[in-house]
Structure formats: structure tokens, C-alpha cells
């Protein structure tokens, strides 16, 4: 794999049983790149450790006053220098390619997992952890993959050099051959403690990242309640804990580095002393002593890669463990489970991509867990007193049962929603999403222009202007038009930029733009979870009218307790204690179901009875007046 060929057509099905297994899987999938980098590393380090031979020949040639051998030594040095430069350049190129391609593979896997889980991802994993995995952890994992080939080349070079020294000068070669393994193994007792400190540092850094992400996401709320100083102090403490952990980890790695310098220095001293004794006794020549001394000196370079691979593994293992934990999350779907069991390299992609050309199911939308039925082509409003239960139900209607749903059933979890009698969590993901679009209560606006925001996969039957009009985005367009005049002077609201997550807009404006985006998509089934919770009553009433008009003959499910939206619905389903307890029109349920009336009016029963006893207006009459005034 070359960088220009990225992204991968199929990043593969990762082994996520543990962080170590995930690293092994990554290395196995880049075997060709690892071998190429290792071969270039052998050329570079082999030429490097052969340099002492040329130096020894040159020194001995000077002692023997041989010009021919001196010229040979010079030619060897020139040739080895060229090989060292070539090997170093190509090793760097191949190793960095391995790093980048490994990081790209992990990022593709994370992106695929995000697509697979959708909004359920951040409910199962903290947003800060997802950010940490997709940024810093990816870099650490790529570092290990890059260092692996250099370590392999270094290990082979060291073994080859030791064997060559034993053959070239057995007495000194034996000392080097015995000393080098001792040098390599001397740091092993220190590695577990260093690894634990590195794990501690990464965990604290991950928690600090999560805290920072949560603080930034909730900054507007924090400022509203005056809590930004409290959270900033918490982040300050968390960052100081990260700093302390990093210093403790650095101290251990400094000790390992010192050992890696001190012990080879002691070996070098021993080799020189023993070689001087042998040279004094006439058992070796000066050139041989210089050759062995230079070889041990050059040996320090490949030995450093032992320290690097230990550091890379220690830092990448917790990162790989976190990545594996995120990648192990699965959409509870029988189709995907079958793909996993089959061991296909396409794996999850089979479940995601298999439905691209498949025809989405159509018909009535039914939730077996609650008994809620949304007839095809009608606007159905669902009233649920528990907002969390409503959110889980909305996800289930889109074919995404949550962990709470899976744990709530009798052994098998909550049953899947059915569209036209077809279980949504048993069809390919692309098919389910083409059939049902779910907009949750906190939709996200991506940064970019309004044109880019509305440039989503759609049928083409709903123009953006009609969607914006139905969502009552007139004031939003005026605000964006003014911003466009200030920025570029053209006054085109469709070209005005929307900041990240729509921070420059109010909560109601963000909701309406998100609703317009959903309407433009024009799905067969549209599920909206509290789409107007942040808008005023007059705007809400007009949105209800526009929604009913634009979604005529399309299936629409709205989770809401607003009388203004409920009055527009063709059918209202009241979900109480996890079951559909009442079905009818809004006015019918107000007059016949006290529990429904309590949820919609939000008034205690005692207050209602007291008002009725005084001859005042009933809640039904109040709601009717409110609807008439809004109309």
C-alpha cells in the first residue's frame, strides 16, 4: 500500500479481543510494507556496521605502509557511505509509509464504526474517548507499526555482527557475543514499571480529554449557571495529574535510556582493555583491534532501537486497547452477526454496503416493544412521559436498539421495530437508513455553508426552499444573509458559513435548520424526537402545519407533548409505562384519558379539579383556545 493509494478499499475486519491482538493484526495486514522497510533497514545498518572493517583495513594499511590496501579502504568507505545514505533514506520512506497507512487504516475503521453506530456511539462511549482514540491514540499506534520494521532490521544486524566478529576475531568476538544479549536484556526488569506508568499517563490524559470535550460542549450551559470556573478548576486539576504522570513516566524512560548508554560504554571499555592485552601479547594486530572497537561503537546505533520498540509498545498498547474497545462495539443485528461469524474480510462493510442497491421496505411502522403503530402515509405523534424512553424508542424505530433495550428484554432484549413486517435491525444498515431517518432531540450541525448543510443524499422531490419554508427558517435566512453581507458582501444566505455545531445560532434556529435538512432528505419514514422543543408556540404551530403539508402521503412519527403539534397529527399514540396505552386524536385523548391529559397539560390533578370546581375553563377548553389563537 502506497500513500497515494489511500484510503483502503477495505480496511479489513480487526481483531479487537485485546490491544495486543489488535497491534498484531495491524502488523500482519502490513506484512509487505514491514518486509520492505526491514530490508532497507538491513541495507542501512549492515553498511553501517561494516564501516569498521574498512577503518581497520585502512589503519593496518598505514601500519604496513601499503598504499594499495589504503586505496581499497578508501573505496570501501565511499561505497559504504553511499549504501548507508541510500538505505537510510529508503528506510525512512518505507517506515513513514507504514506509519501513515497504519494510522489511515485505524481511522477508516473508526469512521466505519461511527457510520455503523451513528448517534448511539457517544451514548456508549464518552465523546472525549472517541476524540482521544481518533487523534493521539492513532499516532501512537502508527509509531509502533513504524518502529517494528526498524527493530527487526536492528535485531538481525546485531546477530549478524556478533557472528561476524566471532569469525573475524574469535577472542574479542566471543566477548561481544556474550555482552550484547546481556545489554539487550538488562532493561527488561524496568519495562513493566515503565509500561504501567505509561498506561497511567495515557489513562489520565484520556480522562482530561473527555473532561475538556464535555466542558467545551456544555460551555453555554455552564456560563448560564455560572459553573465555568468550577469545571475549569476540575480540568486544571486533571491536567496537573497528567503532567505528574508524564514526569513519572519520563523518569523511568530516562533511567532506561541511561542504562542503554552506560552498559554499552562498559562493554566498550572491557573490549578495549581486553583487546589491548591481546595486542600487547601479539595475538591480534592493531587493525583487528581497531576493527572490533569500531564495530562495538557502531553497535550502539542498532541497540537504540531496542529502547525505541519498548517505548513504542508501552505507549501504543493502551492506545490500541482503547481503539479495540471502541471498534468492538456492534450494532445488534443478526445480519452483521452472520457476517462476523463467516469471518469475511469485508466484515462490517458487508452489513453496511450490502443494502446500497437493495430496495428499502415500505409499509406501516410498528414497534413490538410498546405496541406503537404508525400507519403508512400518516403523521403519527407519540406522547411519552419519559424523555429517555422516548429517545430509546426513536432509536429502535430506526433499527438501532440501544444497550438499555437489549438489557430490558427477557433474555433476548427488546424486539426490533418492523417496517412493512420486516425487522429493521435484520436488514443491511444502508437499507435501514434509506428507509427510516431518525432525527434525535439534539441534532448536530456541521460547519460549512447552508448549501453544504442541505447537500445530503435525498430523493430530489423536496427542494431546499420548500424544506426551509416548512421548518419556518425565515429569520435564520435573514440572519445568515446579514452575515453573508458582512463577510463577502454578496448577501446570499445559502453561501453564508455556519460555525462548528452552529454555535452562532440560537437553539431554536439550530433545531429548525436540522429539521429542514431532514425534510430535504425526504425519507420514506421520518422519525423526529422533540423537533420543536426550543421554539416559541406561534412558530411551533406553523412548523406543524408545514410538516403535515410537506410530508403528505409520507410516514412521519413525531415524539412530542406539545398540543400545537399533537393537534396536527392524524393519529396520536400515548405510551405509558412502556406500552401504547391510548390511541386516537389529540382532542379525543384529552377528554378520555386522564394520564394523557396530565402529561400534555403538565398540571397536577389537584389543580385541574380545583379549577373545574370553580367553574373555570377545563384544560381541554384551554388547549382549544391556545390552538385557535395560534392558528
Amino acid at each position: 500500500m502506497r500513500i497515494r493509494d489511500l484510503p483502503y478499499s477495505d480496511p479489513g475486519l480487526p481483531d479487537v479481543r485485546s490491544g495486543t491482538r489488535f497491534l498484531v493484526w495491524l502488523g500482519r495486514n502490513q506484512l509487505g510494507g514491514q518486509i520492505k522497510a526491514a530490508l532497507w533497514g538491513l541495507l542501512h545498518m549492515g553498511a553501517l556496521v561494516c564501516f569498521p572493517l574498512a577503518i581497520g583495513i585502512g589503519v593496518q594499511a598505514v601500519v604496513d605502509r601499503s598504499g594499495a590496501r589504503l586505496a581499497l579502504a578508501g573505496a570501501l568507505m565511499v561505497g559504504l557511505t553511499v549504501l548507508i545514505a541510500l538505505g537510510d533514506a529508503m528506510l525512512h520512506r518505507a517506515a513513514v509509509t507504514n506509519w501513515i497507512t497504519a494510522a489511515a487504516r485505524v481511522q477508516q475503521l473508526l469512521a466505519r464504526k461511527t457510520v455503523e453506530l451513528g448517534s448511539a456511539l457517544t451514548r456508549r462511549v464518552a465523546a472525549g474517548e472517541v476524540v482521544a482514540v481518533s487523534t493521539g491514540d492513532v499516532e501512537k499506534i502508527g509509531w509502533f507499526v513504524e518502529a517494528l520494521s526498524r527493530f527487526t532490521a536492528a535485531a538481525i544486524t546485531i546477530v549478524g555482527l556478533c557472528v561476524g566478529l566471532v569469525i573475524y576475531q574469535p577472542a574479542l568476538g566471543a566477548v561481544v557475543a556474550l555482552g550484547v544479549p546481556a545489554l539487550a536484556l538488562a532493561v527488561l526488569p524496568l519495562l513493566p514499571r515503565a509500561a504501567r506508568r505509561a498506561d497511567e499517563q495515557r489513562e489520565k490524559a484520556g480522562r482530561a480529554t473527555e473532561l475538556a470535550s464535555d466542558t467545551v460542549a456544555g460551555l453555554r450551559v455552564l456560563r448560564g449557571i455560572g459553573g465555568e470556573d468550577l469545571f475549569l478548576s476540575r480540568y486544571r486539576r486533571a491536567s496537573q495529574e497528567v503532567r505528574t504522570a508524564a514526569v513519572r513516566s519520563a523518569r523511568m524512560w530516562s533511567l532506561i535510556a541511561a542504562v542503554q548508554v552506560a552498559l554499552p560504554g562498559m562493554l566498550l571499555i572491557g573490549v578495549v582493555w581486553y583487546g589491548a592485552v591481546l595486542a600487547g601479547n601479539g595475538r591480534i594486530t592493531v587493525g583487528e583491534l581497531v576493527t572490533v572497537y569500531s564495530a562495538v561503537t557502531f553497535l550502539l546505533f542498532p541497540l537504540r532501537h531496542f529502547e525505541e520498540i519498548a517505548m513504542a509498545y508501552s505507549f501504543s498498547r493502551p492506545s490500541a486497547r482503547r481503539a479495540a474497545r471502541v471498534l468492538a462495539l456492534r450494532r445488534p443485528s443478526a445480519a452483521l452477526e452472520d457476517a462476523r461469524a463467516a469471518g469475511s474480510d469485508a466484515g462490517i462493510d458487508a452489513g453496511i454496503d450490502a443494502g446500497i442497491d437493495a430496495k428499502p421496505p415500505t409499509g406501516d411502522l410498528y414497534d413490538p416493544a410498546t405496541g406503537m403503530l404508525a400507519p403508512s402515509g400518516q403523521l403519527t405523534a407519540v406522547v411519552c412521559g419519559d424523555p429517555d424512553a422516548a429517545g430509546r424508542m426513536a432509536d429502535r424505530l430506526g433499527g438501532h436498539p440501544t444497550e438499555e433495550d437489549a438489557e430490558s428484554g427477557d433474555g433476548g432484549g427488546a424486539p426490533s421495530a418492523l417496517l412493512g413486517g420486516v425487522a429493521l435491525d435484520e436488514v443491511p444498515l444502508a437499507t435501514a437508513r434509506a428507509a427510516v431517518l431518525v432525527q434525535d432531540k439534539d441534532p448536530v450541525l456541521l460547519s460549512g455553508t447552508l448549501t453544504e448543510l442541505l447537500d445530503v443524499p435525498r430523493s430530489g422531490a423536496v427542494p431546499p426552499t420548500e424544506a426551509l419554508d416548512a421548518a419556518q427558517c425565515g429569520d435564520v435566512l435573514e440572519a445568515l444573509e446579514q452575515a453573508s453581507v458582512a463577510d463577502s458582501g454578496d448577501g446570499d444566505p445559502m453561501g453564508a458559513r455556519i460555525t462548528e455545531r452552529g454555535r452562532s445560532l440560537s437553539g431554536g434556529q439550530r433545531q429548525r435548520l436540522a429539521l429542514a435538512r431532514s425534510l430535504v432528505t425526504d425519507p420514506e419514514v421520518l422519525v423526529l424526537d422533540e423537533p420543536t422543543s426550543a421554539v416559541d408556540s406561534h412558530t411551533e404551530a406553523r412548523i406543524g402545519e408545514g410538516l403535515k403539508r410537506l410530508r403528505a402521503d409520507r410516514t412521519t412519527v413525531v415524539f412530542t407533548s406539545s398540543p400545537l403539534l399533537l393537534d396536527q397529527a392524524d393519529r396520536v399514540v400515548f405510551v405509558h409505562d412502556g406500552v401504547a396505552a391510548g390511541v386516537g386524536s389529540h382532542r379525543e385523548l384529552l377528554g378520555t384519558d386522564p394520564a394523557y391529559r396530565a402529561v400534555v397539560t403538565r398540571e397536577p390533578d389537584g389543580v385541574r379539579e380545583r379549577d373545574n370546581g370553580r367553574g373555570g375553563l377545563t384544560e381541554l377548553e384551554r388547549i382549544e383556545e391556545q390552538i385557535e389563537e395560534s392558528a
Side-chain angles (χ1 to χ4, degrees):
M1 170 62 70
R2 297 172 297 179
I3 296 177
R4 68 168 65 97
D5 297 327
L6 292 174
Y8 289 96
S9 58
D10 175 21
L13 184 64
D15 187 345
V16 295
R17 289 175 289 177
S18 68
T20 301
R21 290 179 182 271
F22 181 62
L23 290 175
V24 171
W25 177 84
L26 274 178
R28 189 171 65 248
N29 277 270
Q30 291 189 286
L31 193 57
Q34 294 290 337
I35 293 175
K36 181 187 295 184
L39 290 176
W40 285 117
L42 283 174
L43 176 64
H44 168 59
M45 297 180 193
L48 189 67
V49 297
C50 285
F51 217 89
L53 179 62
I55 295 175
I57 293 175
V59 171
Q60 193 61 40
V62 172
V63 173
D64 297 340
R65 297 181 181 276
S66 172
R69 277 187 293 163
L70 185 61
L72 174 63
L76 282 175
M77 290 182 184
V78 172
L80 290 173
T81 300
V82 173
L83 292 178
I84 291 171
L86 176 63
D88 190 20
M90 298 306 296
L91 169 62
H92 179 75
R93 179 187 179 93
V96 171
T97 298
N98 289 336
W99 182 359
I100 293 175
T101 52
R105 186 186 297 273
V106 177
Q107 287 176 330
Q108 278 189 250
L109 290 171
L110 292 170
R112 187 175 68 181
K113 183 59 61 176
T114 303
V115 170
E116 177 190 343
L117 296 177
S119 61
L121 175 62
T122 52
R123 285 196 290 269
R124 302 172 69 179
V125 181
E129 183 170 355
V130 177
V131 172
V133 170
S134 59
T135 53
D137 287 339
V138 168
E139 181 180 352
K140 294 295 187 299
I141 293 171
W143 177 28
F144 173 75
V145 174
E146 176 206 13
L148 187 59
S149 56
R150 288 203 300 268
F151 166 73
T152 302
I156 296 174
T157 300
I158 289 173
V159 172
L161 178 61
C162 291
V163 173
L165 287 178
V166 170
I167 296 173
Y168 176 73
Q169 178 45 251
L172 289 178
V175 174
V176 176
L178 293 174
V180 168
L183 296 180
L185 299 176
V187 297
L188 287 182
L190 301 176
L191 289 180
R193 182 177 297 180
R196 287 195 299 270
R197 292 189 178 184
D199 289 352
E200 179 185 359
Q201 177 192 353
R202 297 299 300 165
E203 290 175 3
K204 290 183 180 295
R207 287 197 295 269
T209 302
E210 293 174 16
L211 182 58
S213 177
D214 292 341
T215 302
V216 171
L219 192 57
R220 177 175 295 183
V221 177
L222 291 175
R223 285 175 175 170
I225 62 177
E228 64 269 25
D229 291 337
L230 174 61
F231 273 78
L232 287 175
S233 64
R234 290 180 181 176
Y235 178 73
R236 188 178 296 110
R237 287 196 300 271
S239 63
Q240 289 302 312
E241 291 178 1
V242 174
R243 181 189 63 81
T244 302
V247 170
R248 294 183 70 248
S249 178
R251 287 174 180 168
M252 184 55 62
W253 288 111
S254 297
L255 177 60
I256 292 175
V259 171
Q260 289 287 319
V261 172
L263 293 184
M266 296 174 63
L267 175 63
L268 186 61
I269 293 173
V271 168
V272 171
W273 176 81
Y274 185 51
V277 173
L278 294 178
N281 294 334
R283 296 174 58 185
I284 63 173
T285 63
V286 175
E288 290 175 336
L289 175 59
V290 172
T291 298
V292 175
Y293 166 78
S294 301
V296 175
T297 303
F298 279 83
L299 192 63
L300 301 181
F301 174 75
L303 275 175
R304 286 204 298 268
H305 292 289
F306 282 76
E307 177 191 355
E308 181 190 19
I309 195 65
M311 290 184 65
Y313 177 71
S314 298
F315 279 95
S316 65
R317 188 179 61 176
S319 297
R321 186 166 58 242
R322 269 199 298 271
R325 186 164 58 245
V326 173
L327 294 175
L329 300 175
R330 294 180 293 178
R331 173 181 179 239
S333 164
L336 292 180
E337 293 294 341
D338 292 342
R340 289 177 183 276
S344 168
D345 286 340
I348 301 301
D349 285 336
I352 295 176
D353 298 334
I356 292 179
D357 298 325
K359 185 177 180 180
T362 59
D364 296 343
L365 182 64
Y366 178 66
D367 179 27
T370 60
M372 192 281 299
L373 174 67
S376 176
Q378 292 188 16
L379 173 60
T380 301
V382 179
V383 177
C384 186
D386 183 357
D388 293 333
R392 292 195 299 270
M393 187 176 174
D395 285 335
R396 194 163 58 246
L397 292 179
H400 297 280
T402 62
E403 290 181 337
E404 292 85 349
D405 289 327
E407 294 171 357
S408 64
D410 297 330
S416 170
L418 306 177
L419 180 59
V422 178
L424 287 174
D425 68 346
E426 293 183 357
V427 302
L429 185 60
T431 302
R433 287 183 173 167
V436 182
L437 173 64
V438 179
Q439 176 182 305
D440 62 20
K441 60 172 59 71
D442 187 23
V444 175
L445 300 182
L446 303 179
S447 61
T449 64
L450 183 55
T451 299
E452 293 170 341
L453 175 69
L454 300 179
D455 185 16
V456 293
R458 57 183 185 266
S459 66
V462 179
T465 53
E466 292 187 15
L468 291 168
D469 180 63
Q472 299 299 309
C473 294
D475 64 318
V476 184
L477 294 177
E478 292 177 1
L480 292 177
E481 182 178 358
Q482 295 176 0
S484 178
V485 171
D487 293 340
S488 59
D490 58 5
D492 180 13
M494 302 300 292
R497 291 199 62 81
I498 299 173
T499 56
E500 180 186 3
R501 301 181 67 89
R503 291 193 309 268
S504 59
L505 304 173
S506 67
Q509 290 174 329
R510 288 196 299 270
Q511 268 193 341
R512 283 176 282 158
L513 282 181
L515 177 59
R517 180 178 57 187
S518 299
L519 293 175
V520 163
T521 305
D522 189 36
E524 180 67 27
V525 178
L526 177 61
V527 179
L528 304 171
D529 188 4
E530 295 289 352
T532 59
S533 59
V535 302
D536 61 83
S537 59
H538 293 283
T539 304
E540 190 174 36
R542 291 194 295 269
I543 289 176
E545 295 172 356
L547 182 64
K548 187 171 183 177
R549 181 184 68 254
L550 199 62
R551 294 287 299 172
D553 300 326
R554 291 286 200 180
T555 306
T556 308
V557 179
V558 182
F559 287 83
T560 183
S561 59
S562 167
L564 299 173
L565 289 183
L566 294 172
D567 195 61
Q568 294 289 339
D570 300 312
R571 173 188 177 94
V572 177
V573 179
F574 176 48
V575 178
H576 185 62
D577 291 335
V579 296
V583 180
S585 69
H586 170 55
R587 295 171 186 261
E588 291 172 351
L589 292 176
L590 272 178
T592 61
D593 194 329
Y596 174 84
R597 188 165 56 246
V599 172
V600 173
T601 61
R602 301 179 180 89
E603 285 192 10
D605 292 339
V607 175
R608 188 184 309 109
E609 293 171 357
R610 184 173 65 252
D611 289 343
N612 292 341
R614 290 201 304 263
L617 293 175
T618 65
E619 293 305 320
L620 175 59
E621 291 170 336
R622 284 200 182 97
I623 297 298
E624 289 175 347
E625 282 191 358
Q626 185 180 5
I627 293 172
E628 291 173 358
E629 290 175 0
S630 298

